[in-house]
Amino acid sequence: MDYQGLRGTRYIGRPKQPTISVYKLVEGEYQVSLSRSGEAVKSALFPKLVLKAEAVFSTGQPRYLRS
């Protein structure tokens, strides 16, 4: 078990930062695409979708906390 989340730095960086992981199944194996604040979230299923990671991160937060 990785209770401290130390192996997670591969996916969320060091220091830890909010990260969106999009997985794509290619020839029986999953490939991961990571998006962080300031980056676009890319989807193979919806190639024309334009979505910034910070838009997802701010969803559900009270308006006074949004920048």
Side-chain angles (χ1 to χ4, degrees):
M1 294 257 166
D2 185 19
Y3 293 107
Q4 293 180 339
L6 300 176
R7 285 179 265 169
T9 57
R10 172 182 175 188
Y11 299 103
I12 60 176
R14 186 177 197 133
K16 293 179 183 179
Q17 38 187 320
T19 304
I20 296 173
S21 303
V22 177
Y23 290 85
K24 179 181 174 183
L25 185 61
V26 177
E27 296 181 13
E29 292 188 28
Y30 283 99
Q31 296 178 350
V32 64
S33 172
L34 305 175
S35 300
R36 294 183 177 93
S37 189
E39 299 176 352
V41 177
K42 298 174 188 168
S43 168
L45 189 59
F46 303 104
K48 293 184 180 182
L49 177 68
V50 178
L51 184 64
K52 293 283 186 178
E54 59 266 6
V56 176
F57 299 143
S58 67
T59 301
Q61 288 184 358
R63 291 183 183 208
Y64 62 86
L65 291 179
R66 294 181 189 173
S67 52

